[in-house]
Amino acid sequence: AITYYQERYRPQYHFSPERNWMNDPNGLVYAHGLYHLFYQHNPLGDQWGHMSWGHAVSRDLVHWQHWPVALWETDEVMIFSGSAVLDVYNTSGLGTLDNPPLVAIYTGHYKTMEKQAQHLAYSLDRGRSWIPYAGNPVLDIGERDFRDPKVFWHAPEAQWIMVVALAAARKIQIYASKNLKEWTLRSTFGPAGAVEGVWECPDLFPLLVEGEPGSVRWVLKVDVNPGGPTGGSGSQYFIGYFDGSRFTPEEPVAVGQAHARWVDYGADFYAAITWFGAPGEDLYRLWVGWMNNWLYAHAIPTSPWRGQLSLARRVSLRRIGGRLHLVQAPVPSLSTLRQRYWAIENQPIVGEQRLAIQGKTLELIAAFVVGKARVVGLKVRVGEGEETVIGYEVATQRIFVDRKRSGLVAFHPKFATRKEAKLPLEEGKLRLRVFVDWSSVEVFAGEGQVVFTELIFPKPESEGVVMFAEGGEAHLVSLEAWELASGWKA
Ligand code: FRU
């Protein structure tokens, strides 16, 4: 039996390493019925360092099993972020057609030279063990900030495409290859949108627009650190077209924070990449992000691990109010964790009302009519002097998440914050889907076009849920809630 998931703040249904440091998810690949998750990991300590790839697998993106470290740093290079593919046609020659290789494409960070270059490693035993490719590096342009390759198969030209960041230049480069070993530069994108900090962890993928048959757009996701929506690290996206060489945004994007479109308006969603080869890829992609922020990642009060992931999410494209939006929802398999159930319907809300619902691991689905209220919303993890507030300000049409009094906040001066985002109501209604865990809250608002991912560190006893309306009466249309079981498997 394992007991490590009982520690204070230990995520119950979000991924965290058993012990020590983690940052970005890496090498997400679906193969042989398993979702592989690799991640930036220090196997030797709870601060960033000795970067290696930790490894875990899941059949449903909810229950995870830890596997041994897949790629260890060497004397010369640290294993930085990257992706992985199943090379079904054995284009790389690293396996055979009968036993196609899994190939990881990652950044080798050269410790003593000022250099980053792209490397390969491969597995011939379904991901259990990994062999660094003898011909590394496979892509070396002598750059110092050249990292985070994300590779996918582009069927129209039967070749591999890599998006990779020229971090300091705020540029994304697109390379093509027939064999994963030789790469040719095709184009460069950027700077555009948010450029205050370096650009990292790009991803590029096509999606059908929901409800518009035959209509395809490409999403280019680029992270920025610092200069995210709340300061610190953040994640932006561009919607456009990809012709096999070049990404062209649908609407021109000027340089500047004000022109960025944010994947997440909370402080703690970074470095997400999509799963390679997952089922159902036309209408949505699956991704997961690092639930943390470089501002204070080293200081968060958890032990013996430091770092955790967001929920695995479906990402799709939908036209809302005439404009295409990236829309996110947690993976449907999460509902297998649902246990104790509460339902409330059709009630006026005046002031603060404590509900019968309570717990440290909760899913809440709510619909409100704002009525005469100035502010309406929910509070979760409510206890003595503690609350995390999810509210809607009617006059400004802004939704906010306030963690100023969410629990332990003093470990870093930039942690106690309130975040907000514009969200027009749907026929006077506000819809929220909220996931609460031992040290996080994730809010999917409206149709999922506005998301907040936030760490919180409340007392274990803070289990209350409150609904509230300020400045006038609001109306609760419905509220369903479930206590969620732990997703951990020994
Ligand atoms: C993003 C990042 C990547 C890099 C990795 C190093 O969080 O800075 O750009 O590859 O972390 O751990």
Side-chain angles (χ1 to χ4, degrees), residues 23-24 40 48 51 80-81 107 147-148 200-201 270-271 290 294:
N23 54 291
D24 314 356
Q40 285 289 281
W48 188 91
M51 295 321 293
F80 271 23
S81 285
T107 297
R147 58 181 179 268
D148 309 339
E200 299 182 321
C201 302
Y270 197 66
W290 179 40
W294 279 117

Side-chain angles (χ1 to χ4, degrees), residues 137-324:
V138 293
L139 177 56
D140 179 1
I141 57 171
E143 270 287 331
R144 203 187 66 171
D145 289 291
F146 182 47
R147 58 181 179 268
D148 309 339
K150 177 72 168 81
V151 173
F152 63 92
W153 179 249
H154 191 237
E157 289 184 60
Q159 64 184 359
W160 301 101
I161 297 291
M162 175 200 294
V163 283
V164 57
L166 278 174
R170 282 72 165 166
K171 286 181 182 166
I172 301 303
Q173 288 195 323
I174 301 182
Y175 288 84
S177 172
K178 291 282 181 195
N179 57 13
L180 294 169
K181 292 170 173 168
E182 289 140 335
W183 294 92
T184 318
L185 180 64
R186 285 297 184 87
S187 69
T188 303
F189 173 83
V195 296
E196 189 195 307
V198 293
W199 276 19
E200 299 182 321
C201 302
D203 199 348
L204 175 65
F205 50 90
L207 285 170
L208 280 168
V209 178
E210 286 183 38
E212 297 179 16
S215 170
V216 174
R217 295 291 186 287
W218 288 72
V219 176
L220 176 64
K221 193 273 311 182
V222 179
D223 293 340
V224 61
N225 176 45
T230 73
S233 40
S235 185
Q236 63 181 327
Y237 69 95
F238 306 93
I239 298 175
Y241 301 94
F242 177 63
D243 62 5
S245 289
R246 188 170 294 281
F247 173 80
T248 313
E250 193 167 48
E251 311 160 6
V253 187
V255 170
Q257 237 242 5
H259 307 287
R261 301 188 74 183
W262 299 111
V263 168
D264 199 294
Y265 291 86
D268 301 306
F269 189 82
Y270 197 66
I273 52 167
T274 55
W275 257 277
F276 178 92
E281 284 199 326
D282 289 350
L283 267 180
Y284 57 83
R285 297 274 154 164
L286 298 169
W287 74 15
V288 69
W290 179 40
M291 190 148 56
N292 217 331
N293 191 308
W294 279 117
L295 263 183
Y296 44 70
H298 292 92
I300 59 169
T302 61
S303 175
W305 81 101
R306 192 176 268 116
Q308 57 177 293
L309 293 181
S310 74
L311 291 173
R313 302 171 182 177
R314 279 186 171 182
V315 184
S316 57
L317 281 178
R318 193 178 300 167
R319 201 172 294 279
I320 302 171
R323 195 176 186 207
L324 289 181

Side-chain angles (χ1 to χ4, degrees), residues 7-119:
E7 302 118 334
R8 195 176 182 101
Y9 308 132
R10 172 68 85 173
Q12 297 295 293
Y13 60 92
H14 290 81
F15 179 82
S16 60
E18 211 166 341
R19 54 196 307 113
N20 289 330
W21 170 271
M22 84 170 287
N23 54 291
D24 314 356
N26 293 154
L28 307 183
V29 57
Y30 178 80
H32 319 107
L34 287 182
Y35 291 93
H36 289 266
L37 160 67
F38 303 86
Y39 54 92
Q40 285 289 281
H41 185 41
N42 179 355
L44 306 177
D46 66 359
Q47 295 289 320
W48 188 91
H50 299 287
M51 295 321 293
S52 300
W53 276 24
H55 193 185
V57 297
S58 174
R59 293 193 178 278
D60 61 2
L61 297 168
V62 174
H63 299 86
W64 292 99
Q65 203 171 66
H66 293 295
W67 278 13
V69 169
L71 288 166
W72 282 87
E73 72 160 347
T74 65
D75 291 344
E76 292 79 37
V77 295
M78 290 206 267
I79 317 293
F80 271 23
S81 285
S83 49
V85 299
L86 179 63
D87 182 13
V88 253
Y89 307 120
N90 191 32
T91 62
S92 62
L94 294 169
T96 59
L97 274 177
D98 289 341
N99 184 28
L102 277 167
V103 182
I105 307 96
Y106 62 89
T107 297
H109 175 84
Y110 289 73
K111 295 178 186 172
T112 54
M113 300 145 80
E114 301 244 294
K115 194 173 85 170
Q116 296 180 339
Q118 313 325 320
H119 286 211

